[in-house]
Amino acid sequence: MSHAIGVDVGGTFTDAVLSGPDGRMSVAKCLSTHDDPTDGIVTAVTAALGRTDPSTVTRVVHATTLATNAVLERRGVRVAYVTTLGFRSAIPLGRYARVEEDRYDLRFDPPAPPVAAEDCFEVPERVNSRGEVLRPLDEAAVVRVGEEIARRGVTAVAVCLLHSYANPSHERRIAEILGALVPTVVISSEVWPELREYERATTTIMSAYVGPVMAGYLRRLTARLAAVGITAPVHVMDSAGGVMSAELAARRAVTTIESGPAAGVLAAAATGYPDVISFDMGGTTAKTCVIRDGAPEITHEFHVGGKGSFGGRRAGTGVPVKTPAIDLAEVGAGGGSVAWVDPAGALRVGPRSAGSEPGPACYGLGGEEPTVTDANLVLGYLDPASFAGGTMPLSRDLAEKAVARRLAGPLGVSGAEAAHAVHEIANASMGSAVHVVTVQRGIDPAGFVMVAFGGAGPMHAARVASRFGISTVVVPAYCGVGSAAGLLSGDLSTDRVLSALDADPGQVFAALATAAARDLGVSPDSPGVSVTRSADMRFTGQAHDLTVPWTDSPTELAGRFSARYLQVYGIAQEGPTEIVGYRVRVTQAAARAPRSPAAPATPGLPALAGLPGAGTAGGGATRPARRRSAYFPEAGGYVEVPVFTRAGLGEVAGPAIVEDAESTIVVPPGWTARLAENMSVILTEAAR
């Protein structure tokens, strides 16, 4: 009897999902513990286990925002940067695009570089773009640099030499010399050997910056889980939706920066709809992603820590990181986002979040500022007694006081009007993220299905979808812990890349596949192991490239590139092309139990299909569990609406509310909700 556990640590809640050998799931949700995330993980895992023997757990998959937070909050280790003589100023000079709030600031100061100018060093050496050594490495200079770095007490070094992707010998020798003087040395030819020196350098720096933090965290997590009887290996999801061992995650920490959001996208893709917009709204942020033909869009460069960048997708903001990542747009709009009135008297929502400490006012943990959760409670969308599965009762009185004192009073409106305005502004903010991944890229979102999950997503999904003409919203089972559930669908995988001009593709792909398989501890030819090949191509003379699936036929490869170019830029262009890089992804299929969300594994979860009293999928609505007053402006304000459990739902017209243990689905007027056979709730908007 083997079990698997998925654990997702968010800004407000930590979610755990336990999957048994028959596919049944047990879930748990608790407040995140920011001083030490492992405290919240152990609490959630213990609750999910219930009476299950911890020794039967054979797989633990973890999604974490640790690397992201270390970058955003500048909690990584101090890093020294070593590069080729003459290029030490590239990092201090940096690159920054002014966003809206900075554009007309005459006193604008750019953000601090990832490495201080005084910690940037250079050594005499030179290699050209074909890998030819133009100037041998001065090893004596490397020793002097290493001694100075050690004297300053710096414990991590990032090494990025000019054109080291073509010939890594100098970087490897520097690592040998510095390794005797400094605990952590990271070289770009191991992290991500691609052309474009600045991006390769910042990626290497970020890996050195968060690597020791990630390594220490994973060691503590492994020990804490062992203390409660779980000795299974810990795996970590990477930014592209794959899963790697804890040891590999520590060595390549930069690949985990978008770990948490990637898991949710996998859960959306697993619903089986070909064209999907995933909508994940938690306590701190909301994330959206486009899934086409069942696969999420992948980007090979994103930016961390920028302003106005919708999660790092605007070039020139934050620190560029070149590593595969699911292409997300992210906004600071979650259940904990604080609502406030600015000096001009305008109502704002976010991006600051109340988090888990002290949390929204309704939590009763000392928070006094109104949040989106407080507004939803005032509007009647949330049941104070059943929030987070009933483990965390909410105070409507505290929510109403916070909304009245901080919002309704200054704005001169009623509490209900202020709360509804907060709800609508949050919807508009999340709509901007959908706009980024669809309309701004020439995609008509009206032809997509929106899959909503996260603790707050199903409350807002129908309103957000309606803004874009999306008429179908799917809320899968266990939607409140969707990211944690999505972790269990990830396979062990890792990526390797190499920039190379005029190379033999067969030799390059073979070497990359061997290296990637070594990372996973498998052989490329082992049963259950697959190797996916792709190439970076561009029109000759252009600076930027696109990634396309590989084929040995040059004609077919050129055709794939032209089709991709048309899809991305909307231009049908022809001309000579060139290959500038090669990529492989090696995947080992993970053993998993058959998915069957039919019945709960532990008491306290909502009754699902097959249990007495369950509704008939697609049939007429059964009697609601109860009724309560909720605010719908189309219906004239507060009205009595039916409240269903998911199991008790057949088909119902809005306004109505469907409650899960971990989330709440709001069905506005003009929408209908029905239960599908796989226990998803399908929301459909009537034709307008």
Side-chain angles (χ1 to χ4, degrees), residues 82 123 137 142 159 161 170-179:
V82 177
V123 294
L137 175 66
V142 176
V159 182
L161 305 180
H170 286 180
E171 281 194 353
R172 291 172 180 171
R173 180 57 184 148
I174 289 175
E176 291 177 1
I177 296 172
L178 296 183

Side-chain angles (χ1 to χ4, degrees), residues 614-625:
T616 302
T622 56
R623 183 172 299 175

Side-chain angles (χ1 to χ4, degrees), residues 536-561:
D536 296 338
M537 297 183 65
R538 66 188 180 192
F539 285 114
T540 303
Q542 290 192 343
H544 296 282
D545 48 73
L546 295 172
T547 302
V548 295
W550 177 259
T551 173
D552 291 327
S553 169
T555 302
E556 187 177 351
L557 187 64
R560 292 179 180 180
F561 172 72

